[in-house]
Amino acid sequence: MALKEPVLLKRVEKMTDPTSVEEFTKYGGFDALKKAVIMDKEAILDELDTAHLRGRGGAAYPLGRKWRHLYGSQNTPKYIVCNADEGEPGTFKDKMLLEKDPLSVIEGMVIAGYVFGSNDGYIYIRGEYRHIQAVFHQAVRNARAAGYLGKNIMGIEGFDYDLHIISGGGAYVCGENSALLNSVEGKTGRPRVKPPHLADVGLYLKPTLVNNVESFACVSAVINMGGEAFLNLGTKDGGGTKLICLSGHIKNPGVYEVELGMPLDEILYSEEYGGGTSTGRPIKFIHFGGQSGPIGTSEQIKDRLYDYGDFWYNKLAIGSGAIVVMDTSVNAIDYMTSVMEFFVHESCGKCTPCRLGTTRLLELFKKFQRHGGKQGDIEKLEKMLEHITNLSACGLGQSVSVSARSALAGYRDEFEACIN
Amino acid sequence: MVTDSAIKTVTLTIDNKSCTVPKGTTILKAAQSIGIDIPTLCYMKELVPDGSCRICVVEIEGGRKGGLVPSCAEHCAEGMVVYTRSQRVVEARKFILDLLLSDHTLECFSCARNGSCKLQEYCLEYGVERTSFRIGKRTPFGKGDTSNRFFEFRPDKCIMCRRCAHVCEKLQGRDVLSIAGRGFDTHISTCYDIARTDPTCESCGNCVSACPTGALSSYDQKRNYRSYEVTSTQTTCPHCAVGCQFNLLTKNGKIVGADPVDGPTNKGLLCVKGKYGSYKFVHSGDRLTTPLIKKDGKFEPATWEEALGLIVNKLTQIKKKEGADAIAGFSCSRSTNEDNYMFQKMMRAAIGTNNVDNCARV
Ligand SMILES: Cc1cc2nc3c(=O)[nH]c(=O)nc-3n(C[C@H](O)[C@H](O)[C@H](O)COP(=O)(O)O)c2cc1C
Ligand code: SF4
Ligand code: SF4
Ligand code: SF4
Ligand code: SF4
Ligand code: FES
């Protein structure tokens, strides 16, 4: 069943100027903020818990839990950071919000500023989104002029909070929380060692919240409709709606908003969404959640619900919301080789297993691709994947194996055919 | 927060031995405190953990991510059960070594660090004789940076532990080295590719001392000695009054090199004089080995009795005739603090003047 009323995209394409505060408020903008500032802060956290809002950046960590951790920190100042690096291939949904409804992201960030008594928020926008950065700058200026940013926000004495816009430099790894903070500080974008947790020692060594663009937009939705209603849009394993990005061999590529728990087949085949493959050939597999996500075979994706729980139980993942569709003309090994090329290119080079291991993996995939595999190479590949996952320092290296393992599980025969 | 964590302790088990440490202690430090050795490559005890080499992994019972964590960064927790040499740990370390060797010019025979190289030591210990990645991308052989007169840099032997860059930036405060590129192509570079002859580089050699392999190696060591041929004698650097501790390395009765020691004033660092200069004058042909007394406008070798006797005579004469304040003493900044103290004491107590100074003003 298609979504009746968009929640996150409700204003998109309706506003004549997406940066205008007047237009924004005409369609319910800043209602959540107005509600939030008269709520008890604990009550806001309760609503977020009830909503079971999972982070939309990829890791799906419960947002309420993250906020509570930061809320408990005694250290000040606290910083709010929005991750708008959107570097995951096949993911282009944050772009939609940043460009078409930037004030909704700003609203979510101001609510966070209110909850944590923070004075400074940072938004780290992907360098390639140059024109969107300009739109966002305009939205921030307008919000400031209308008194939603700056000193004494909405006339509330002492509610001082402003946003700083930082441009990324084009490295995928800078989407990783701690690398992102290093980059904001003007350092090289390589991940930090954890512990300490960023909620304790984050930006400029102060407690810091990092959330995704869509996550911040969801916060306003939770406050507006209440946690319960938000939860009911989704399932018990994650409430709300989710922005998805359809691409690959799909007839209607693009960004859509769906209720979590919607049948995957509807997303793929109904005319309202994907409309089936663009080539007329059947789907062979789908890469979910970007390059760091798993691959689902046509068998595996049958009768699935687009839901965090149903996906996990079936070794799939929602991740960022990317749904890259590949038809039967695609060879699993060719596909994986290009995925590996991505990781080789994006490895920041800090830790040994990822710096050298990704290149060795790519070399092995290329060997398979040439049909030059030797007895034992598949087992060697499996061992390498295990070690690289266990030993890598950050989420990039740790997730290199996700797609490769699922490809091996689903298409082992194609690998075996490359062994002679 | 700091005091809070300092008073709380946690108790854990490492290789079946129980151990109680302050909260916030890393597994590596806890293990070291009970005599358990864990291999490390990037770890530097003076700095926050870098967590990059991953050789220090240990297994935590029931832990996330397969239970393997870098012990240099992971904090101890109450009831934690740690294994530092389980089969999974050993396999993981072998994999790291295998990867490191897959981009390493293995020429131990001619390498300055043969016998004192951590990569060699661990490969030997874990039975990794050669890489299993026989073919594949390699850093080009032998193309090194020989711009510095005391040491050379060979990127094809570099394991990217980043210790040199951290020493230079955070301890020596020179910031000559930086980590450039990414992925496989990550490499140690000088800032803006300046030569290591640029005045920014003090040739202190602390990067060389910090390097666990032969990637950065002193020419002295390369040409003249290997670690197993030398005897180390800890002493104080004679070059200035800071009092850095170092080991003088001797081979066949000759000093051939110096290695920093973790002394109270130098904490494992040296300057160019200590690292590369201090031992060279000992065997220099120009060095004075006996006192000289000028006779008929020409210096003639003399015994210490003759020389000291002459000084005592002259000083006594001057003091009698002109008073003690006609005498001034000037000591050398190359002397140790103890020698300088004795010198001023002699001027004040034995001669009776406050006219005493020292040239250490740099
Ligand atoms: C290599 C790597 C790249 C990432 N890129 C992004 C990104 O582009 N955008 C994003 O929101 N999260 C990204 N993440 C996830 C973030 O680290 C983090 O989990 C997220 O920003 C937290 O926000 P959320 O809880 O609201 O999802 C990335 C993670 C890794 C390891
Ligand atoms: S896993 Fe890869 S991206 Fe992450 S720190 Fe290590 S080298 Fe860098
Ligand atoms: S750096 Fe170590 S392993 Fe490499 S050649 Fe030298 S001694 Fe051998
Ligand atoms: S010799 Fe000293 S100053 Fe020069 S690069 Fe090495 S550590 Fe830095
Ligand atoms: S030159 Fe030596 S210290 Fe520097 S990164 Fe390479 S191996 Fe480590
Ligand atoms: S010593 Fe722990 S990661 Fe290098």
Side-chain angles (χ1 to χ4, degrees), chain B residues 228-352:
Chain B
Y228 45 81
E229 299 176 308
V230 298
T231 312
S232 296
T233 309
Q234 187 175 335
T235 182
T236 308
C237 175
H239 254 294
C240 80
V242 169
C244 297
Q245 292 298 297
F246 64 9
N247 276 329
L248 282 179
L249 310 175
T250 47
K251 174 179 167 182
N252 302 330
K254 277 199 157 188
I255 303 173
V256 288
D259 271 344
V261 165
D262 192 4
T265 56
N266 64 316
K267 308 238 181 287
L269 303 178
L270 289 175
C271 77
V272 61
K273 294 172 286 180
K275 176 79 182 164
Y276 294 119
S278 58
Y279 55 89
K280 295 202 174 136
F281 65 74
V282 176
H283 303 295
S284 161
D286 296 337
R287 187 179 159 197
L288 294 181
T289 49
T290 67
L292 300 175
I293 296 178
K294 210 178 232 176
K295 285 180 186 149
D296 304 326
K298 231 180 121 213
F299 279 116
E300 303 277 358
T303 64
W304 282 103
E305 282 74 24
E306 286 171 330
L308 291 172
L310 181 69
I311 294 168
V312 171
N313 272 341
K314 295 242 166 157
L315 289 180
T316 319
Q317 271 173 31
I318 297 169
K319 190 174 161 183
K320 238 182 222 155
K321 211 165 134 210
E322 314 279 350
D325 280 342
I327 303 170
F330 196 80
S331 69
C332 171
S333 64
R334 298 280 174 271
S335 318
T336 61
N337 277 344
E338 292 77 4
D339 286 344
N340 280 318
Y341 176 79
M342 286 309 293
F343 184 73
Q344 64 82 32
K345 195 87 181 163
M346 179 185 84
M347 291 306 292
R348 292 194 166 98
I351 300 196

Side-chain angles (χ1 to χ4, degrees), chain B residues 153 157-165 188 207 210-213 215-216:
Chain B
F153 171 55
K157 290 198 212 173
C158 174
I159 57 167
M160 278 313 297
C161 68
R162 305 142 47 103
R163 287 168 59 101
C164 54
I188 295 292
C207 51
C211 182
T213 71
L216 276 166

Side-chain angles (χ1 to χ4, degrees), chain B residues 132-202:
Chain B
S132 70
F133 303 99
R134 302 279 165 82
I135 35 178
K137 192 170 172 180
R138 300 279 189 269
T139 301
F141 166 77
K143 277 209 196 91
D145 178 343
T146 53
S147 61
N148 192 284
R149 58 179 293 189
F150 299 108
F151 57 86
E152 71 168 348
F153 171 55
R154 283 274 304 271
D156 58 327
K157 290 198 212 173
C158 174
I159 57 167
M160 278 313 297
C161 68
R162 305 142 47 103
R163 287 168 59 101
C164 54
H166 290 317
V167 164
C168 190
E169 181 197 341
K170 302 197 174 101
L171 300 177
Q172 188 63 18
R174 296 310 295 169
D175 233 339
V176 175
L177 304 178
S178 66
I179 298 141
R182 61 185 201 195
F184 191 97
D185 301 323
T186 314
H187 60 282
I188 295 292
S189 160
T190 54
C191 292
Y192 308 108
D193 280 325
I194 55 167
R196 285 168 168 89
T197 44
D198 188 278
T200 324
C201 171
E202 293 175 336

Side-chain angles (χ1 to χ4, degrees), chain A residues 172-173 176 189-192 343 346-356 358 388 391-400, chain B residues 51-52 54 183 186:
Chain A
Y172 169 64
V173 74
E176 194 276 346
R190 292 198 184 93
R192 295 181 187 173
F343 285 123
E346 296 297 344
S347 162
C348 85
K350 180 174 168 178
C351 67
T352 314
C354 172
R355 173 171 58 91
L356 298 171
T358 46
I388 293 171
L391 294 169
S392 288
C394 88
L396 191 151
Q398 286 158 14
S399 55
V400 164
Chain B
S52 63
R54 315 307 270 188
T186 314

Side-chain angles (χ1 to χ4, degrees), chain A residues 188 253 332 387:
Chain A
T188 320
H387 284 311

Side-chain angles (χ1 to χ4, degrees), chain B residues 101 104-121 123 154 156-159 211-216:
Chain B
L101 284 195
H104 190 87
T105 299
L106 211 56
E107 46 173 31
C108 302
F109 276 152
S110 59
C111 184
R113 293 299 294 274
N114 189 13
S116 58
C117 166
K118 277 200 166 188
L119 181 62
Q120 190 189 49
E121 179 192 330
C123 283
R154 283 274 304 271
D156 58 327
K157 290 198 212 173
C158 174
I159 57 167
C211 182
T213 71
L216 276 166

